[in-house]
Amino acid sequence: MISSVKGTHDILPGEVEKWQYVERVARELCGRYGYVEIRTPVIEREELFVKGTGGTTDIVQKEMYTFTDKGGERISLRPEATPSMVRAYVEHALEQALPVVKLFTMGPMFRHERPQKGRYRQFHQLNVEVFGQNDPAIDAEVIDLAWSLVAGLGIARAELVINSVGCAACRPKFQEALLAALGDDLPRLCQDCQRRAKTNPLRIYDCKVEADQPIIDRLPHSVDYLCEPCATHFAGVKAQLDAWGIPWRISHRLVRGLDYYTRTTFEVLGETLGAQNAILGGGRYDGLVKDLGGPDRTGIGFAAGLERLVLALPDGSTAAAPARAFVVAIGDDGRAEALRLLRELRQAGLPAQMELEARGMKAQMKRADRLQARIALIVGGDELARGEVTLRDMRTGDQRAVPRPGVVEAARALLA
Ligand code: AMP
């Protein structure tokens, strides 16, 4: 047997219903908030992520699936969707094509990480992005959408954390203060942190190494170093969240793992998820569009892990499958008529099945039971001769004969 690739998973019948439910709720909610769907390829040029996600990030340095294709081009499986969304926004001048550029997409992402519960090498995200809008109210709207998704799925005990990481004007001062505060402690931090101190000191806050935590907890907070415009913006975001009654908490450590974030960052944490507790995360990225060769437009968005949303779903939240009919054929004459009726039911919009291998009545009824059919339509020689079909309610066992022309409507009434 050839097994699946490590870190990937099949979404099997029985599980897939939860996915469909999450996708349906997400799609409906995005539509309600005015976000339109976009679908971008899963392969992109490697340089999109080197420039977009950032050449010093763990994602690009350690986790990307990159290969040289037959034409000699360096191609990556997308590790995240934001750079692709920005590329599409610029490439198709969406700013001219759409009245407001508020986009969402859903699909697989690929990162060569160490797999564990809630962390996979192929996983799936819902991505939401807004371009060219600067008011703090849009930050609050995006956060509201994220929060409403979690609430709409009935995921209880989730927490919204927010922070502001400042902008190109104020972040250097914060980084300076950070390195100064680290001072003699720096050599005592882990190897990754030593590297981060050189490449992107903010990322030290992401460190999960136990021994480093007391040192990191003493480091300064980005919100204390914001320039006036960034401070005003962040105050605006918090005020709007309060006005909408959305509960938040500041997490000074929420700097997020990517290079492009500016100002607002946020995450929703789930209590039931264990170590991989971030259900979704996002933030503002005001310089990214320009960095990727586009006009000077701001951006903000988030990515939610669909695996984690599915894991956090309360039991029994997916809708029951629609009631279906099962057609039972007796004898050769019955079979031809039963096949005709089967298609008639389906064409009329009713879920219907039949045992297509010729089997006895008992075996067919057993199959109907296993499929949890609500009704059985029994078509046999005697019934045919009378121009009737027997309709059986599988829950009560009640049976009655129905004239053939009215069978579809009688079935519809029982399945409703
Ligand atoms: P990120 O793109 O790293 O900001 O992640 C956004 C969200 O995607 C996270 O909050 C997770 O829900 C999900 N996610 C990220 N990486 C993985 C992974 N390897 N496996 C499953 N979900 C992931």
Side-chain angles (χ1 to χ4, degrees):
M1 187 203 69
I2 300 169
S3 59
S4 59
V5 174
K6 184 174 174 190
T8 68
H9 57 108
D10 299 309
I11 304 168
L12 300 174
E15 177 79 0
V16 83
E17 292 76 9
K18 291 187 194 165
W19 283 75
Q20 291 167 344
Y21 171 69
V22 167
E23 288 161 5
R24 196 165 58 243
V25 171
R27 217 174 271 287
E28 192 280 323
L29 198 64
C30 286
R32 216 190 301 163
Y33 277 66
Y35 291 73
V36 292
E37 184 169 359
I38 178 172
R39 300 185 190 190
T40 63
V42 293
I43 52 173
E44 297 274 4
R45 293 175 204 280
E46 178 187 25
E47 62 176 308
L48 178 68
F49 302 110
V50 175
K51 274 199 197 141
T53 310
T56 65
T57 58
D58 282 355
I59 290 182
V60 169
Q61 286 197 339
K62 302 187 200 159
E63 297 167 4
M64 226 161 39
Y65 283 89
T66 301
F67 60 97
T68 306
D69 76 0
K70 293 196 167 58
E73 268 199 272
R74 294 283 290 168
I75 302 289
S76 297
L77 300 185
R78 62 179 180 190
E80 58 147 347
T82 305
S84 306
M85 304 276 261
V86 173
R87 180 197 51 68
Y89 168 71
V90 176
E91 192 168 336
H92 306 289
L94 292 183
E95 160 174 76
Q96 266 110 59
L98 299 171
V100 284
V101 189
K102 307 208 303 189
L103 306 171
F104 78 92
T105 195
M106 278 188 264
M109 307 293 153
F110 305 85
R111 295 182 197 172
H112 197 272
E113 296 191 88
R114 230 191 23 231
Q116 51 180 272
K117 187 182 172 206
R119 198 207 274 167
Y120 310 95
R121 290 182 175 172
Q122 175 176 333
F123 59 99
H124 301 77
Q125 285 184 338
L126 160 73
N127 261 85
V128 170
E129 317 283 348
V130 183
F131 295 105
Q133 296 202 33
N134 309 320
D135 196 277
I138 196 73
D139 301 44
E141 176 186 284
V142 169
I143 294 173
D144 174 25
L145 174 55
W147 184 246
S148 300
L149 172 66
V150 172
L153 289 170
I155 299 171
R157 302 204 307 277
E159 188 184 27
L160 168 66
V161 290
I162 61 172
N163 193 18
S164 175
V165 294
C167 65
C170 53
R171 189 162 333 146
K173 249 183 273 154
F174 170 56
Q175 285 197 0
E176 227 172 79
L178 173 63
L179 290 172
L182 263 180
D184 297 343
D185 284 335
L186 180 57
R188 289 170 44 212
L189 292 180
C190 68
Q191 287 302 314
D192 273 345
C193 282
Q194 315 260 344
R195 183 173 50 82
R196 290 175 182 133
K198 292 199 190 82
T199 54
N200 187 344
L202 251 66
R203 215 157 308 118
I204 289 174
Y205 288 98
D206 279 342
C207 176
K208 302 276 186 309
V209 175
E210 198 67 42
D212 290 3
Q213 302 310 310
I215 299 173
I216 296 171
D217 284 339
R218 287 197 297 271
L219 295 177
H221 299 159
S222 56
V223 289
D224 296 329
Y225 291 83
L226 298 179
C227 59
E228 206 276 320
C230 283
T232 306
H233 185 91
F234 194 42
V237 176
K238 290 184 289 187
Q240 189 55 57
L241 291 177
D242 287 341
W244 281 336
I246 298 168
W248 52 268
R249 170 174 75 77
I250 291 204
S251 166
H252 298 297
R253 304 223 3 201
L254 183 60
V255 293
R256 313 258 312 127
L258 308 179
D259 275 356
Y260 50 62
Y261 284 109
T262 55
R263 293 192 166 173
T264 316
T265 55
F266 63 95
E267 281 186 351
V268 173
L269 310 175
E271 264 188 14
T272 53
L273 294 175
Q276 303 302 318
N277 68 341
I279 298 178
L280 61 86
R284 199 165 252 290
Y285 46 86
D286 288 348
L288 184 60
V289 177
K290 192 150 179 256
D291 285 351
L292 289 177
D296 192 3
R297 298 289 181 276
T298 60
I300 177 166
F302 72 85
L306 297 186
E307 279 79 1
R308 296 195 193 167
L309 288 172
V310 167
L311 270 172
L313 274 188
D315 288 341
S317 45
T318 53
R324 47 179 166 246
F326 193 89
V327 183
V328 177
I330 304 170
D332 283 346
D333 293 351
R335 184 175 157 82
E337 181 58 21
L339 282 164
R340 206 172 301 135
L341 177 58
L342 174 68
R343 185 152 195 280
E344 237 176 82
L345 289 162
R346 290 171 172 170
Q347 293 294 308
L350 301 175
Q353 297 199 62
M354 181 176 149
E355 179 60 59
L356 296 184
E357 306 287 334
R359 291 249 157 82
M361 164 99 174
K362 217 168 137 201
Q364 294 182 63
M365 291 307 287
K366 218 163 148 189
R367 179 83 71 199
D369 266 338
R370 281 209 64 189
L371 287 168
Q372 295 179 321
R374 175 76 52 80
I375 57 172
L377 298 117
I378 303 161
V379 187
D382 295 349
E383 283 95 343
L384 275 182
R386 290 196 302 270
E388 290 175 340
V389 167
T390 300
L391 203 59
R392 179 185 172 90
D393 184 324
M394 297 294 284
R395 285 187 302 194
T396 60
D398 291 345
Q399 284 194 183
R400 68 190 158 95
V402 178
R404 176 67 178 88
V407 164
V408 171
E409 287 320 306
R412 191 193 301 284
L414 274 180
L415 291 175

